[in-house]
Amino acid sequence: MSEFVMTLQRHILEQGRNYPTATGAFTRLLGDIALAAKLISHNVNKAGLLDIVGGAGGENVFGEAQQKLDVYANQAMIKSLAFGGSLCAMVSEENEDVIPLSDDYPTGKYICHFDPLDGSSNIDVNVSIGTIFSIYRRVTPEGQPVTDEDVLQPGYCQVCAGYVIYGSSTMLVYTTGAGVYGFTLDPDFGSFILSHPKIRIPTKGRIYSVNIANFNFWESGMQNYVRWSLQSERSDSRNLTNRYIGSLVADFHRNLLKGGIFVYPSDNKSESGRDGKLRLMYEANPLAFIVEQAGGSASDGHTRIMDKKPTSLHQRTPLVIGSKEDVQIVEEFIQNKRTS
Ligand code: P6P
């Protein structure tokens, strides 16, 4: 083992030294999220054995109560975060309303939005899935009930954002606004070890990630972008290639490391599709914070994601995210500033 192992816990403490008034609540909160990630990773890695596709009730091969994995992941996040005393509110993709915190435990000044297990439909076919989280500081006085003003802050107010990807290894990637750091879970001793310091996304990439099956439901600008991309696969120096896993965290993580762009635009496939499919508060905003900290950008095709003023907890948004130059090209097409 190297003489100096930078664990997630040590890294958070190191970062915390930049905030002399820090109380330790933020450090505890990130530690609670890391605990939830380990619990979820442990079960994701046994998914095929736990028969997680079934509903609740009955027993799995280990004699444990059978649970759907996304229900388990949601409970793991809620129970890991509820008692640490750092939060005054939680919002989960799995819960319609703000999750209340018990009066039996101390509360804090932070709010955490999370998608406990994004891409869970891919579990049964062993595709990488992920947990996404976004942390804000409350804006109303402590000790009073949390209001919409606290839980519907624009993305530029985030104090931390991150994701966990459960893939060939389990990685936790996060930013507090001082760069992006990736930690790989060492299952032998259950710690997240710094494996990707100061992640930077290339300003331009070869990869574009879109679900081309939706082509006929897109606006003309997006269709023109894909036609332009498809042409490049044949001839010119751009040498683009299409990679689409259908699991947001997996597609985003690959593009973050290799460069490229992920686009989930609005479509007229359904009424809700007009606002896109992905959620602003616990998918687009946290990934936008991360990608900007890594030198990339994120918009809805017109407006910077982190400038959007939220109006509801689960609102959707179109998402164009990745290498800065690639995002700019997609925006030019979507805004009909270019057609080829
Ligand atoms: P589609 C998974 O269901 C998810 O929410 C994201 O993880 C993923 O990027 C997207 O939906 C895939 O959606 O419509 O292409 O299957």
Side-chain angles (χ1 to χ4, degrees):
M1 182 190 299
S2 73
E3 69 286 349
F4 179 62
V5 176
M6 178 57 83
T7 61
L8 173 63
Q9 189 181 18
R10 292 182 74 144
H11 191 263
I12 297 164
L13 288 170
E14 298 269 329
Q15 298 259 316
R17 291 206 182 110
N18 302 327
Y19 305 92
T21 59
T23 62
F26 182 74
T27 301
R28 257 196 327 276
L29 175 54
L30 273 180
D32 293 342
I33 291 173
L35 169 63
K38 292 176 195 173
L39 292 169
I40 297 168
S41 175
H42 180 68
N43 278 279
V44 164
N45 292 336
K46 295 190 299 183
L49 300 172
L50 289 178
D51 188 16
I52 47 92
V53 293
E59 290 188 349
N60 62 33
V61 293
F62 296 103
E64 296 163 350
Q66 188 180 21
Q67 275 190 328
K68 269 182 168 293
L69 199 49
D70 47 3
V71 172
Y72 172 82
N74 194 41
Q75 288 307 311
M77 284 292 285
I78 293 171
K79 291 178 178 169
S80 301
L81 272 60
F83 313 119
S86 305
L87 292 178
C88 56
M90 278 187 260
V91 175
S92 168
E93 190 259 355
E94 296 283 339
N95 295 63
E96 189 58 35
D97 302 313
V98 175
I99 300 165
L101 294 168
S102 161
D103 294 335
D104 302 338
Y105 293 92
T107 57
K109 59 186 175 186
Y110 294 105
I111 294 143
C112 186
H113 293 258
F114 56 84
D115 184 351
L117 204 59
D118 179 75
S120 52
S121 59
N122 293 299
I123 294 172
D124 308 346
V125 292
N126 237 356
V127 167
S128 300
I129 48 185
T131 298
I132 312 171
F133 59 91
S134 169
I135 299 171
Y136 294 82
R137 211 175 268 112
R138 75 177 296 171
V139 292
T140 57
E142 289 193 57
Q144 294 179 6
V146 166
T147 70
D148 280 355
E149 202 183 342
D150 293 308
V151 295
L152 292 176
Q153 300 180 54
Y156 62 76
C157 295
Q158 291 174 94
V159 294
C160 176
Y163 62 85
V164 185
I165 179 167
Y166 310 101
S168 46
S169 66
T170 292
M171 267 192 76
L172 186 149
V173 177
Y174 88 107
T175 185
T176 57
V180 179
Y181 295 85
F183 296 79
T184 300
L185 180 63
D186 183 324
D188 292 341
F189 52 101
S191 286
F192 281 101
I193 308 298
L194 181 64
S195 53
H196 297 68
K198 279 276 184 192
I199 296 175
R200 301 294 291 172
I201 185 171
T203 52
K204 191 170 178 48
R206 287 187 50 232
I207 297 169
Y208 65 104
S209 307
V210 297
N211 183 345
I212 208 148
N214 297 331
F215 184 90
N216 293 325
F217 302 103
W218 290 331
E219 294 176 2
S220 59
M222 181 63 195
Q223 292 177 333
N224 289 334
Y225 164 69
V226 172
R227 287 193 189 97
W228 173 79
S229 301
L230 289 170
Q231 281 163 8
S232 81
E233 293 206 27
R234 241 197 349 262
S235 58
D236 67 19
S237 61
R238 282 170 294 154
N239 191 23
L240 297 186
T241 187
N242 183 260
R243 290 284 182 275
Y244 191 76
I245 301 170
S247 182
L248 174 61
V249 171
D251 278 315
F252 176 81
H253 184 69
R254 179 207 51 240
N255 293 354
L256 179 70
L257 298 184
K258 291 181 176 287
I261 183 124
F262 174 95
V263 189
Y264 206 107
S266 58
D267 62 50
N268 57 25
K269 210 160 125 180
S270 63
E271 196 47 43
S272 65
R274 297 190 189 293
D275 300 323
K277 174 177 184 180
L278 301 174
R279 308 286 183 168
L280 176 62
M281 295 309 290
Y282 41 77
E283 290 175 336
N285 266 331
L287 298 185
F289 190 13
I290 290 169
V291 84
E292 288 197 7
Q293 281 292 309
S297 52
S299 79
D300 62 7
H302 302 270
T303 305
R304 176 185 181 233
I305 287 290
M306 290 209 282
D307 286 342
K308 296 184 73 149
K309 179 69 183 87
T311 53
S312 68
L313 294 178
H314 302 286
Q315 76 181 68
R316 301 173 191 270
T317 177
L319 180 61
V320 183
I321 188 168
S323 296
K324 190 176 284 250
E325 288 184 24
D326 297 336
V327 168
Q328 192 176 339
I329 291 169
V330 175
E331 289 172 345
E332 288 169 0
F333 277 100
I334 287 180
Q335 295 169 24
N336 295 309
K337 290 177 180 170
R338 66 184 286 187
T339 56
S340 64

